[in-house]
Amino acid sequence: MVLVVDPNLEMVPDFAGNLYAGIRADLEAATNQTGEEVVACLTETWNADHNARVAEWNQEREAEAGALTEAERVRTAQENEERIQREAEAERERLEAEKKKPKMNSFEHASSVGDYLTPRPAQYAIQKLTNFEYVELWYFLPEGCRDALKSSRSVADNDLSITRTDDQLMLRPTSAFKASKAAMVDHELSFSIFLRAKNLFLVQISKAKWPQPNVDALSLFFWHLENHSIRNNSDIGDMVILTYASRVRQDWHDRLKRDEGFNIGNINENLIRTINEELWDKVRSRTLNIVRPQSRADVEQIH
């Protein structure tokens, strides 16, 4: 039975008083004891019961106090654990933000600018290289770099676009996303210009931290094409090589995105022969169109 009143507050009843006269008389008759003996017996019985209830009360209070102490300990431990987790999460977020925060590298105090400055391609081309994407070689020609400089001067400072980088939205100049209207596809370049463009292109992909095996494969790719025998054995050899380079390099990037990459440095001679036949067919077709007699309808259409 749970006690609801503190027994320590109870007073010993006055068993010698008039209130207990009837009880004393009955006990005197039943036990053949004197009145004083009966009062002493009643007091002793009450004290024994009182002491037992006091002990029970104190035990209950100690149990309650222990439960409260344990609850407080659990609450404090839980709060500490939550605080530690919050602090750890805050530290992780701080470190993550620190990783994404732009950093400026140091420099050698004894160094100076070089004797030659590499032409800077358009931000559009640099962004493409940063994302390991295909971009036309024209952007790496002096003409392409001059066009980039001209475009950067004409774009307003507040002309910005939103892009996502590392799960973060960032503002970048619109010029980083706009292809130049003057750009030419690779197979429309002359072969000498094509070779000039690929040199700066190889420099820029190294600066863009492309994997070294990919850089090496592209270097070998251009070397094989520059020295391919078809350039000396066919009147359209340069056009065949330029068309092969344009198509294969773009296909290489597409396949890398699908994790189906191949070694671009290995030249496919069958594909070169196919492109050679395709271009010769176009040459013959144009030649026939030039030399064939024109019908009356053709003449009227021209006029």
Side-chain angles (χ1 to χ4, degrees), residues 168-226:
Q168 287 187 332
L169 294 178
M170 302 181 65
L171 289 175
R172 292 186 182 275
T174 301
S175 59
F177 307 98
K178 292 176 63 177
S180 172
K181 295 180 180 179
M184 299 173 61
V185 293
D186 291 356
H187 56 271
E188 291 180 352
L189 302 174
S190 69
F191 203 86
S192 60
I193 290 178
F194 169 80
L195 294 180
R196 289 169 58 193
K198 63 90 174 174
N199 290 334
L200 182 55
F201 169 75
L202 291 174
V203 170
Q204 291 295 330
I205 62 175
S206 295
K207 287 184 177 181
K209 306 298 184 183
W210 282 31
Q212 192 58 45
N214 297 47
V215 176
D216 294 341
L218 282 168
S219 299
L220 190 62
F221 169 74
F222 289 121
W223 185 88
H224 280 313
L225 296 184
E226 181 180 358

Side-chain angles (χ1 to χ4, degrees), residues 238-253:
D238 283 355
M239 179 58 69
V240 172
I241 293 300
L242 288 172
T243 303
Y244 177 94
S246 180
R247 294 179 182 178
V248 170
R249 197 163 62 86
Q250 191 155 24
D251 183 63
W252 184 65
H253 279 278

